[in-house]
Amino acid sequence: DYKVNLDYASGDFTNYLEIDPTFGYTVSGDKHESAVDSTPANCDGKTWSATHDLTYVTSQIHTTACNVAWFDFDISSIPSDAIPSAVTLNYAVDVTSGSPTECVIRHITSEPTSSGATTYSEALTGSKISGTDLGCTTTGTGKTISYNVDGLTELQTDISDADGLHAISLFYDSLTGSDMETKFTYNTSELQVTYQFPAIKADPPT
């Protein structure tokens, strides 16, 4: 679907065409990172241990483990000069345990790898690019969390670069706590992106 505005200014008859499409982008890989260092008792300071590909992705704070759900979206079909104006992560939660707290989206700037301590670190401490959201505290479908202004800027940076990917984590806003877990539905996470093209101005008629 496209929203098209064709505007004409008085005087020199300058016009521009603005196309504002909204599309959904599914994940190119669902993974979660796991740290199994038993100290400290929460996720603040644990060291990366291993990456696992599972049929679900989990965010968890536990006395012996810290799992961080992260997603890698293929955005290569978005034109490199596109300007995002609204972004929403759509997701579902299969299972919760303990007393999960509100979540936030963090940006992962380094392309995630299957053996990435950098990915694990950024998934926990990267720039927060959304407001906090209580959706991860309960099970259900149709959950959404929207990017803030910083998130739109980070996405535009990823659109402009050459790899065509955009990676984020969905984890608790606080890295401290005890025994909480949220399992996100593996194959339903989607990034909904609305973007604009730069204004195209025509030469005035002669």
Side-chain angles (χ1 to χ4, degrees), residues 23-25 34 44 61 67 70 72 77 83 90 92 100 106 120 125 127 134 150 152 160-161 165 167 175 178 188 195:
F23 296 115
Y25 299 87
S34 177
D44 188 8
I61 297 177
N67 297 328
W70 58 267
D72 199 10
S77 62
I83 303 171
N90 303 323
R106 293 176 172 88
Y120 175 75
T125 62
S127 299
L134 290 171
D150 291 338
L152 298 180
S160 301
D161 69 25
L165 295 170
L175 303 184
S178 60
T188 61
Y195 61 84

Side-chain angles (χ1 to χ4, degrees), residues 13-37:
F13 195 66
T14 299
N15 67 317
Y16 70 90
L17 178 66
E18 179 186 90
I19 301 176
D20 187 0
T22 299
F23 296 115
Y25 299 87
T26 54
V27 290
S28 61
D30 279 351
K31 297 180 174 67
H32 83 271
E33 299 278 2
S34 177
V36 294
D37 184 1

Side-chain angles (χ1 to χ4, degrees), residues 8-77:
Y8 296 91
S10 59
D12 62 359
F13 195 66
T14 299
N15 67 317
Y16 70 90
L17 178 66
E18 179 186 90
I19 301 176
D20 187 0
T22 299
F23 296 115
Y25 299 87
T26 54
V27 290
S28 61
D30 279 351
K31 297 180 174 67
H32 83 271
E33 299 278 2
S34 177
V36 294
D37 184 1
S38 60
T39 56
N42 50 58
C43 290
D44 188 8
K46 284 187 183 294
T47 56
W48 173 85
S49 175
T51 302
H52 302 279
D53 290 309
L54 299 177
T55 56
Y56 54 81
V57 286
T58 297
S59 280
Q60 180 185 33
I61 297 177
H62 191 268
T63 54
T64 59
C66 179
N67 297 328
V68 185
W70 58 267
F71 309 90
D72 199 10
F73 292 95
D74 183 349
I75 57 170
S76 58
S77 62

Side-chain angles (χ1 to χ4, degrees), residues 109-186:
T109 59
S110 301
E111 179 55 28
T113 64
S114 60
S115 59
T118 299
T119 299
Y120 175 75
S121 175
E122 284 200 289
L124 283 176
T125 62
S127 299
K128 297 178 182 180
I129 59 173
S130 74
T132 55
D133 180 64
L134 290 171
C136 59
T137 65
T138 59
T139 60
T141 60
K143 296 175 180 290
T144 63
I145 180 170
S146 298
Y147 279 29
N148 57 25
V149 173
D150 291 338
L152 298 180
T153 300
E154 297 284 9
L155 177 59
Q156 186 167 4
T157 298
D158 285 349
I159 290 172
S160 301
D161 69 25
D163 68 7
L165 295 170
H166 176 63
I168 59 173
S169 66
L170 184 56
F171 192 71
Y172 309 112
D173 183 38
S174 174
L175 303 184
T176 62
S178 60
D179 291 357
M180 62 184 73
E181 181 177 17
T182 304
K183 290 184 178 180
F184 303 102
T185 309
Y186 158 70

